[in-house]
Amino acid sequence: MIRDALIGSGLAAFLFCLAYGYDVTPIILVGGLYAAFQLVISGRIGDRKFEIVQETQSGGRVSKLTFGDVGGQETAKRELVEALEFINNEEKAVRLGIRPLRGILLSGPPGTGKTLLAKAAANYTDAVFISAAGSDFIEMYAGVGARRIRDLFGTAYSTARACKKKTAVIFIDEIDVLGGVRGRHQGHLEYDQTLNQLLVEMDGLASVSREGVRVLVIGATNRADLLDPALLRPGRFDRLVDVDLPDKVGRRHILSIHTRHKPLADDVDIDKVAAETYGFSGAHLESLTNEAAIMALRAGRVRINMNDFSEAMEKVIMGERVERKPDEEELRRVAVHELGHAVVSELLKPGSVAAVTVSSRGKALGYVRQSPKSDRYIETAAQLEARVSVLLAGAIAEELILGERSTGASQDIQQAVETARKIVNCGLSDLGIISEEDIPRDQYHTAVTGLVQVQEERTKSLLATKAEFIRDVAGELMSMEKMNGDTFRARLSEAA
Ligand code: ATP
């Protein structure tokens, strides 16, 4: 009422001024500002359309992706399929009195295939797939997020009806952005209202489907620990599925999916690539196969060879080559440093060096790529000590061959100290089981530095017998830029 009266009198004033030749610019300005404010408040500006994956309007599968397109993640797939069976066999589930599933939360590191799994789940249940990100709901203005949540659920029902589907999957990526513990955010009113609305909508996904459409919410997060407990309580997201980094078998599977349509040379050994990519996510592996294909294209080849994969691995780990050219003296230091790491790595863990390189990538001037024999989930004190020794070997080789150390080892030293701390904190040092907070600082410090010093001495004696080898091979490495693990091992055994 008041708004209409204001608009009416504004219009009258405008016409009056126009008729009597007054300047109407201030009225236009104030009117424009008011209209813009109204648009923002009502959420019309910056409104987002939710992504609807849909191929055919006439009953075709709404997302083509199947669980077969998701590499590894066997446990996650099994858990998901089991949960989705309740939807596919609803009658059976109802007969047993099983409460229908409303939400599934996929939790795990970035790029592990959570979005792929949600799309495959939509396909498996013959559902329309509506996707949104947590950040889509957060605006400065109170109420906008809550309205968007209502729109999202509305879109899910209407799209399912339009596509003649019985199920709709709503996928909310980065759900921690809107589902964080309430009351924690600054300007928390908007966040809280948005989350409350999501809870209301999820509670509304009653046991009988609305107008013949059942909605399943799949959330994805890298930080399940940040979520409001209300969201995780049974009846909302009552299935929590871990989507972890893939193991070696999983990596092999993902690599085979992404090389399916790529021409590979005969020397390509996917098992070896899988073994050397410990710690890579599915997204890293997809990028690796893509980069390898680009390398082949740049070299004018029609097939991707093993060297392309090796180069691509370095690019994915370290970043693109940079135009930073150290002078001859500095390059020699880098070669000596990297060879120090490689020699000790090979002596302590035979077969562990995958490549030694002296080209600049990202922030590094050179690096040694190691490939573990198998994926490791826990480490012993001996393994951690060996890691400290390999980390210190670069600086010690510089000292041994070139007479002094350099700042190039600062990162290595930081990591060596971190590893020594881990040994002490895990109760693997002579101190036995300790509490880091309660132990006197000087005792803790002595234990950590003592561990590092023991490894420093061991590294010195390991390298003392290999000084000539490092001196000789440094020149070769400088001209080759990169030496693969097999060539390096052959040189090392020749020199022994
Ligand atoms: P984020 O947490 O960053 O949103 P996400 O876990 O949702 O990541 P996806 O978007 O599913 O990851 O994966 C990104 C890309 O990585 C996919 O398009 C696919 O190419 C590749 N990928 C990731 N995981 C797998 C997998 N398990 N199998 C095959 N490809 C994968």
Side-chain angles (χ1 to χ4, degrees):
M1 279 295 280
I2 296 176
R3 196 171 127 226
D4 293 346
L6 275 174
I7 293 173
S9 23
L11 205 63
F14 178 75
L15 291 173
F16 178 81
C17 291
L18 209 62
Y20 288 90
Y22 291 111
D23 182 8
V24 288
T25 324
I27 300 181
I28 293 176
L29 212 68
V30 171
L33 280 173
Y34 176 75
F37 181 69
Q38 280 299 316
L39 277 172
V40 173
I41 285 293
S42 66
R44 264 175 265 170
I45 280 182
D47 212 1
R48 290 164 176 83
K49 288 261 174 283
F50 307 113
E51 192 206 344
I52 303 168
V53 178
Q54 186 184 329
E55 280 155 26
T56 59
Q57 288 283 354
S58 52
R61 290 266 171 199
V62 186
S63 160
K64 232 199 220 162
L65 221 123
T66 70
F67 284 118
D69 297 311
V70 186
Q73 308 299 356
E74 296 308 327
T75 316
K77 281 192 260 182
R78 201 173 42 247
E79 278 188 56
L80 254 178
V81 168
E82 193 192 284
L84 297 173
E85 283 304 330
F86 299 149
I87 295 178
N88 284 352
N89 292 310
E90 199 176 342
E91 269 178 37
K92 242 194 228 171
V94 169
R95 244 182 279 135
L96 284 169
I98 296 173
R99 172 169 49 76
L101 201 66
R102 294 177 193 170
I104 298 176
L105 186 70
L106 306 175
S107 155
T112 42
K114 297 183 288 297
T115 310
L116 294 184
L117 284 166
K119 283 186 179 170
N123 190 353
Y124 191 78
T125 49
D126 194 23
V128 287
F129 181 81
I130 318 286
S131 104
S135 50
D136 289 347
F137 300 93
I138 302 305
E139 287 282 344
M140 276 166 66
Y141 305 101
V144 175
R147 194 179 59 77
R148 285 188 181 151
I149 291 278
R150 282 194 297 274
D151 286 353
L152 177 65
F153 279 76
T155 308
Y157 284 109
S158 59
T159 313
R161 277 195 301 270
C163 294
K164 300 192 173 46
K165 300 284 178 193
K166 283 196 190 132
T167 315
V169 166
I170 293 180
F171 175 62
I172 307 178
D173 204 358
E174 322 159 0
I175 197 165
D176 44 290
V177 176
L178 76 93
V181 176
R182 280 169 290 185
R184 263 214 198 142
H185 290 281
Q186 258 187 347
H188 56 83
L189 191 64
E190 166 59 357
Y191 281 86
D192 293 359
Q193 280 188 1
T194 310
L195 175 55
N196 286 338
Q197 189 61 42
L198 178 64
L199 299 178
V200 167
E201 293 289 344
M202 288 193 75
D203 289 344
L205 304 177
S207 49
V208 255
S209 52
R210 195 167 102 192
E211 296 160 56
V213 176
R214 156 147 351 275
V215 168
L216 172 70
V217 183
I218 300 185
T221 177
N222 308 326
R223 296 293 309 270
D225 56 311
L226 294 183
L227 292 178
D228 195 298
L231 208 50
L232 297 173
R233 83 137 168 79
R236 286 173 187 152
F237 285 107
D238 38 13
R239 282 279 161 138
L240 190 80
V241 177
D242 277 324
V243 188
D244 234 326
L245 286 174
D247 61 5
K248 195 160 128 190
V249 178
R251 292 197 296 277
R252 203 207 172 287
H253 189 186
I254 297 172
L255 284 166
S256 63
I257 288 174
H258 289 292
T259 50
R260 232 175 354 203
H261 303 299
K262 293 187 171 68
L264 302 181
D266 292 340
D267 70 337
V268 173
D269 181 351
I270 292 290
D271 283 318
K272 193 164 179 217
V273 180
E276 290 185 9
T277 44
Y278 174 74
F280 277 43
S281 66
H284 281 125
L285 294 168
E286 189 278 331
S287 163
L288 170 74
T289 57
N290 195 46
E291 289 300 334
I294 293 172
M295 304 278 171
L297 183 78
R298 275 188 201 156
R301 270 181 278 103
V302 291
R303 285 177 180 275
I304 307 165
N305 64 26
M306 197 61 183
N307 195 43
D308 296 326
F309 275 100
S310 165
E311 274 284 304
M313 244 179 268
E314 266 142 39
K315 183 168 173 197
V316 175
I317 298 171
M318 310 291 298
E320 185 61 279
R321 278 174 193 265
V322 290
E323 292 304 314
R324 199 171 37 217
K325 280 259 169 282
D327 66 16
E328 178 87 7
E329 190 188 330
E330 207 166 81
L331 191 63
R332 186 165 179 75
R333 182 173 287 280
V334 176
V336 165
H337 181 107
E338 299 309 331
L339 284 167
H341 287 308
V343 166
V344 174
S345 174
E346 203 56 39
L347 292 177
L348 296 179
K349 294 177 276 177
S352 60
V353 173
V356 193
T357 312
V358 286
S359 58
S360 302
R361 278 188 191 272
K363 286 202 164 60
L365 294 170
Y367 47 90
V368 174
R369 186 159 55 78
Q370 292 175 291
S371 63
K373 269 207 185 107
S374 54
D375 292 2
R376 292 219 166 279
Y377 305 102
I378 51 170
E379 288 172 301
T380 63
Q383 285 161 345
L384 289 167
E385 282 162 5
R387 195 198 300 167
V388 175
S389 176
V390 175
L391 282 163
L392 297 176
I396 294 172
E398 285 185 52
E399 187 175 31
L400 186 70
I401 316 285
L402 305 169
E404 59 177 345
R405 302 182 184 189
S406 69
T407 54
S410 62
Q411 277 255 326
D412 297 339
I413 288 167
Q414 225 173 320
Q415 284 180 34
V417 173
E418 273 310 310
T419 312
R421 278 207 190 112
K422 196 170 179 180
I423 296 175
V424 177
N425 294 348
C426 293
L428 302 174
S429 72
D430 291 342
L431 287 181
I433 294 169
I434 54 128
S435 150
E436 193 191 342
E437 282 100 55
D438 301 333
I439 190 171
R441 289 326 290 165
D442 54 343
Q443 206 179 344
Y444 186 77
H445 174 77
T446 312
V448 172
T449 47
L451 271 166
V452 175
Q453 274 159 14
V454 169
Q455 292 315 310
E456 199 174 350
E457 289 314 312
R458 166 158 85 149
T459 313
K460 277 183 185 168
S461 62
L462 284 171
L463 285 177
T465 57
K466 301 292 176 204
E468 205 177 314
F469 167 78
I470 295 178
R471 225 175 264 124
D472 292 347
V473 178
E476 199 180 336
L477 182 60
M478 283 163 74
S479 56
M480 286 170 72
E481 239 185 57
K482 178 177 172 182
M483 194 177 274
N484 71 35
D486 293 336
T487 315
F488 171 76
R489 268 183 291 282
R491 293 274 186 292
L492 192 62
S493 63
E494 277 163 25

